[in-house]
Amino acid sequence: MYHHIELAYLGIQVPEPTALNSFFGEVIGLVPGEAISKEDPGPDTLTWRDDRKAHRLFVEPGAANDATFVGFEAADDTVFDELCDRVRAAGAELAEGDAAECAARHVERLVSTTAPWGVRVEIVTGLADAAAPFESALMPAGFHTDGVGFGHVVFATTAFDESHRFAVEVLGLQQTDWLEMDLGGGMVLEVRFYHCNERHHTLALAHAPFDLPQTLHHVMFETNDRDDVGAAFDRAWTSGLPIPNGLGRHDNDGMFSFYVASPAGFQVEVGHGAKTVPGDWDGNRAYDQISAWGHQPLRQA
Ligand SMILES: [Fe+2]
C-alpha cells in the first residue's frame, strides 16, 4: 500500500466546546480523546477519537465557529523533511512547533503554515496512540482509518486556484477527480478531490463564489460496517438536527453516506464503502453529478 501522508486531526473552534458533546458522542458515535496536557492552549479544549489514536478532533473555545487547523501526518521523517522543503520553496512561512505544542498534539515533530483557504496546516510525525483501545458502543465495528487517516475534510474557498496549487505542489497531494455540476442560472459547482493514500480523497476543495461564513463544509468518518451508517442515520434523524443530505451514494467515490449538520453549522458525513485509489491511479476525470442516487435534502436548518 502506498502511503505518503494521511489526515491526522482537525481543529474546530466554537464558542462553547461542550455544546458539541452530544453531537459527536451520541449522534456520530465518537469517543472522548486523551486529556489535554497542561501546556495546552486552554483547559476547555475537548478532543474526540474515531480510532486508537490519542485524538482526531480538537474542539477549542473561541469565536471562529469554523475549522482553525488541520493536521497531516507524514509517513516518516524523510517525507516530513520533504514537505518542509516544499513549504519553504513555495515561499510560505513555516513555523517550528515547540515541545509544548508537540505535547498538546501528542506528536513527535510539528511544523505549521497557513493554507490559502485560510486554515492553519500542521505537518506532524508520530501521532501517539491513546492509552485505551478504541471502543464505541454506538459504532460497534469501528471506523476505517488504518493507513488512510481518520477521514476526509472538505473546505470551501474563493482562493480556488491558489489552494489547488498548495494542495498539489506543497502538500504533494494528487488530484483524484473533479466535479463540475451545472446548478442552473449560470451557476456551476466546482469541487476538486485529492488523495495521498488509498482513501479516494483526504481533502476536497469547493470553489466558493464568495466568502462563506464557514470554510469547513464537512468532515467525513467512514465506518467499517454498512449497517453502522444506517444506525447513525437513525440517531441523526431522532436528534432533530438538520439533515442536508439523506442516505445516498456519491458518483465519484461510490460512498454510501448521509450528511447531518452539527449544532455549529458545519456538516458531518458518515459513510461506508468508498472505492480505494491505487498508486497508479488514472481515473482523474470530471463528474457532472454529486450523487448516483439519493442524498436528498431531508431536513433544513
Ligand atoms: Fe465527503
Side-chain angles (χ1 to χ4, degrees), residues 34 52-55 73 105-108 125-131:
E34 294 284 284
R52 68 177 195 279
K53 293 294 183 180
H55 38 216
E73 183 175 7
R105 302 282 190 256
H106 287 91
V107 298
E108 287 167 9
T125 61
L127 178 61
D129 285 353

Side-chain angles (χ1 to χ4, degrees), residues 7-213:
L7 193 60
Y9 51 79
L10 177 69
I12 295 160
Q13 192 181 91
V14 294
E16 179 43 73
T18 57
L20 294 178
N21 282 3
S22 68
F23 176 70
F24 285 131
E26 292 162 31
V27 177
I28 307 301
L30 306 182
V31 302
E34 294 284 284
I36 297 283
S37 64
K38 271 191 220 145
E39 297 86 352
D40 265 8
D44 299 320
T45 296
L46 302 175
T47 72
W48 295 91
R49 301 163 58 193
D50 78 338
D51 65 359
R52 68 177 195 279
K53 293 294 183 180
H55 38 216
R56 294 303 204 169
L57 284 185
F58 292 78
V59 186
E60 59 179 22
N65 210 46
D66 202 352
T68 48
F69 58 90
V70 58
F72 292 94
E73 183 175 7
D76 54 37
D77 284 332
T78 307
V79 172
F80 181 88
D81 292 336
E82 283 170 7
L83 282 165
C84 292
D85 289 345
R86 282 208 297 263
V87 172
R88 289 190 198 96
E93 39 82 43
L94 184 76
E96 294 274 348
D98 59 19
E101 287 170 290
C102 288
R105 302 282 190 256
H106 287 91
V107 298
E108 287 167 9
R109 301 175 73 186
L110 183 153
V111 292
S112 65
T113 186
T114 302
W117 56 86
V119 171
R120 188 167 78 249
V121 167
E122 299 181 352
I123 299 163
V124 304
T125 61
L127 178 61
D129 285 353
F134 179 80
E135 208 170 315
S136 167
L138 296 179
M139 234 359 118
F143 294 93
H144 176 47
T145 65
D146 271 347
V148 292
F150 86 84
H152 71 227
V153 287
V154 179
F155 297 110
T157 178
T158 53
F160 192 57
D161 293 336
E162 203 185 343
S163 294
H164 170 78
R165 282 196 298 275
F166 180 87
V168 173
E169 293 169 17
V170 179
L171 293 179
L173 303 176
Q174 288 177 273
Q175 185 172 302
T176 313
D177 48 42
W178 75 98
L179 173 73
E180 267 182 64
M181 185 173 170
D182 188 355
L183 300 177
M187 296 277 287
V188 175
L189 173 63
E190 194 178 2
V191 186
R192 291 175 180 264
F193 301 84
Y194 305 92
H195 66 273
C196 47
N197 50 55
E198 287 191 339
R199 191 182 288 291
H200 174 276
H201 58 283
T202 286
L203 170 74
L205 297 168
H207 193 172
F210 45 81
D211 281 325
L212 300 172

Side-chain angles (χ1 to χ4, degrees), residues 152 154 193 201 218 220 250 253 255 259 269:
H152 71 227
V154 179
F193 301 84
H201 58 283
H218 73 267
M220 186 285 301
H250 282 306
D253 70 359
M255 181 175 275
Y259 293 70
E269 178 182 14

